[in-house]
Amino acid sequence: MDGVEPQLIEIDAFTTITIAILVLFVGRELVRKNAALRKLTIPDPLAGGLLCAIIVTVLTIWWGIKFQFSTEPIDFFLIYFFAAIGLRAKVSDLLKGGKPLIILIIVSSVFIGVQNFVGMGAASFYGYPVHTGIIAGSVSLTGGVGTTLAWAPIFASELNVANAQEIGIACNTVGIVAACVIGGPIAQFLMRRHKLAGSVSLDEAVGQNFKDDGKLNLHYYDVLGAVFFINLAIFFGYILYLGLQEAGVVIPVFVPILVMGIIINNVGRIFFRNYDNVGREKGMALISDICLGIFLSIALMTIDLLVVWQFIGFVALVMSLQIALAISYAVIIIFRSMGKDYDAAVISAGFGGIALGSTATAVLNMTSVTRQFGASPKAFLIVPLTCGFFIDLMNTWVISNLIAF
């Protein structure tokens, strides 16, 4: 464009949400019709969102038109998503994991520190501010897109990390794809090397909670009840957030909301006999999925690929190191600490999602293994509990302490 500023077209919040829904549908069709994308278990928002970002970039380069989507809706859907996650966490489930759950939480927590030091080392080597390595570490990889979007403004405004969000999204995008690719091969490598047989049972019943049931029988009061409790978690969580701010604690707003959701859910189960409601649980899951899909679509739509291109060398360097670290840690540390059996191999495959992607990626990795080699109830219990709850809290603690230096 020879230095000519592109014509800027700003898209309001309502239109941005509408386009994000369309992008989500497009992504779904792309994944459904492309065998390679299905094999890599590429998420629908990733496929649709990146396609949209590419189209916007092409329009900017060739026609001098730049669309600027509103990022305001991201906060709304992000907060709703984390409130719903908290409201679905049960203390009883956490206790069932026992010793393996505690061990996995500990070794995964150690990995967060190692991951950040690798990122910080790469940032220093590349001449970037050292805190950039945290964005390219546990913020974007262990934390995922949601954590990146929550922390990026803090890194940009308080730590002077330019393009924190773009770097984080770029690293997370590479991480999600890599996590999907390495999961199955890790399990198969471990099974061959240690001569492990698969599960005696080929019944994958343990994975039913993570499949698409296809049909949901919901009453509108189920969804309304879910919305009510989510709003309660947000209301009290925001009060907690303001109190923490007054005390000088700098954390994203979703963290106290997540914690308040957990408190409300478990207090309700203890003191109210009729608190459990299957319909409301399904409504909560439905709202959670909708919010996750839309905020991921918006986040990926708004990636400025021209800005990302400016530091593609750093992303290539740091992600090569992070992927190698994740594979090595899964094969050497996770597998051994989980008992060196078939369950340990499945958990190691899921660790790729913990280290580089998301809870969904971890579950998808384990599902691909158990479909071929048999069920692993242990893996499907402790991995989602680890990366869906404990690791988020530990990650927040680690990030908060690292940015203080």
Side-chain angles (χ1 to χ4, degrees):
M1 292 181 354
D2 299 327
V4 179
E5 287 294 325
Q7 178 185 356
L8 182 64
I9 300 177
E10 296 185 359
I11 311 296
D12 62 32
F14 176 82
T15 307
T16 295
I17 294 172
T18 305
I19 295 174
I21 295 172
L22 175 61
V23 163
L24 196 53
F25 280 120
V26 170
R28 181 187 181 191
E29 289 304 309
L30 286 173
V31 173
R32 177 180 292 178
K33 295 181 179 179
N34 190 299
L37 295 180
R38 290 197 304 275
K39 186 176 181 179
L40 292 172
T41 58
I42 300 299
D44 299 344
L46 176 59
L50 283 183
L51 176 61
C52 181
I54 291 170
I55 292 173
V56 170
T57 302
V58 170
L59 290 174
T60 302
I61 296 174
W62 288 357
W63 283 281
I65 301 173
K66 182 176 182 179
F67 292 96
Q68 183 173 310
F69 296 104
S70 172
T71 57
E72 292 179 6
I74 289 179
D75 291 336
F76 173 83
F77 291 109
L78 179 70
I79 288 171
Y80 246 64
F81 170 72
F82 278 108
I85 290 294
L87 284 163
R88 296 172 67 192
K90 303 176 184 177
V91 171
S92 58
D93 288 342
L94 308 183
L95 296 176
K96 289 178 184 177
K99 184 177 178 181
L101 173 61
I102 295 172
I103 294 174
L104 184 59
I105 292 169
I106 292 172
V107 294
S108 298
S109 299
V110 171
F111 177 82
I112 292 175
V114 178
Q115 186 177 58
N116 280 319
F117 284 118
V118 168
M120 293 163 75
S124 297
F125 175 83
Y126 213 79
Y128 282 175
V130 68
H131 288 113
T132 308
I134 305 174
I135 284 288
S138 70
V139 171
S140 61
L141 301 179
T142 300
V145 174
T147 304
T148 302
L149 297 177
W151 278 101
I154 296 174
F155 276 77
S157 63
E158 299 187 16
L159 300 173
N160 298 317
V161 177
N163 306 122
Q165 179 168 314
E166 287 81 1
I167 291 175
I169 293 294
C171 290
N172 179 258
T173 300
V174 176
I176 287 175
V177 175
C180 294
V181 172
I182 68 175
I186 284 175
Q188 294 183 44
F189 167 77
L190 291 170
M191 292 179 69
R192 287 195 305 269
R193 182 174 181 178
H194 297 276
K195 297 181 175 58
L196 300 174
S199 172
V200 175
S201 172
L202 294 178
D203 180 14
E204 200 198 356
V206 294
Q208 285 180 351
N209 290 335
F210 309 105
K211 293 179 180 178
D212 180 8
D213 292 331
K215 294 182 180 179
L216 284 175
N217 296 319
L218 285 175
H219 193 276
Y220 78 94
Y221 273 116
D222 296 328
V223 178
L224 194 61
V227 170
F228 173 75
F229 279 97
I230 289 174
N231 286 353
L232 278 183
I234 293 173
F235 178 78
F236 290 110
Y238 190 69
I239 292 175
L240 177 59
Y241 169 74
L242 294 177
L244 291 172
Q245 271 195 327
E246 288 293 325
V249 179
V250 180
I251 57 173
V253 66
F254 79 84
V255 176
I257 289 173
L258 171 68
V259 171
M260 192 55 65
I262 296 169
I263 293 173
I264 290 174
N265 185 43
N266 289 280
V267 168
R269 292 177 184 280
I270 293 172
F271 292 102
F272 299 97
R273 185 176 58 183
N274 297 322
Y275 179 85
D276 278 333
N277 185 296
V278 175
R280 189 177 68 242
E281 285 286 319
K282 290 184 177 181
M284 199 83 67
L286 181 64
I287 293 171
S288 177
D289 289 344
I290 290 173
C291 292
L292 177 63
I294 294 177
F295 94 70
L296 283 176
S297 295
I298 296 175
L300 293 164
M301 282 163 46
T302 54
I303 295 176
D304 191 336
L305 295 179
L306 295 176
V307 174
V308 172
W309 183 254
Q310 297 175 10
F311 41 77
I312 191 64
F314 170 68
V315 172
L317 169 65
V318 73
M319 287 310 301
S320 296
L321 295 173
Q322 296 289 17
I323 292 168
L325 173 65
I327 294 173
S328 302
Y329 203 86
V331 171
I332 299 172
I333 304 298
I334 300 298
F335 179 70
R336 293 177 183 275
S337 64
M338 289 292 100
K340 298 191 292 186
D341 55 10
Y342 171 66
D343 287 326
V346 177
I347 293 170
S348 298
F351 182 77
I354 297 176
L356 299 172
S358 63
T359 305
T361 309
V363 171
L364 286 172
N365 282 350
M366 295 190 300
T367 300
S368 67
V369 176
T370 55
R371 280 175 178 169
Q372 185 173 355
F373 298 105
S376 176
K378 176 181 175 181
F380 275 93
L381 174 64
I382 69 175
V383 170
L385 289 176
T386 300
C387 59
F389 170 53
F390 287 107
I391 287 303
D392 283 337
L393 295 179
M394 181 57 66
N395 194 22
T396 298
W397 181 81
V398 171
I399 295 169
S400 300
N401 281 275
L402 284 176
I403 66 176
F405 290 99

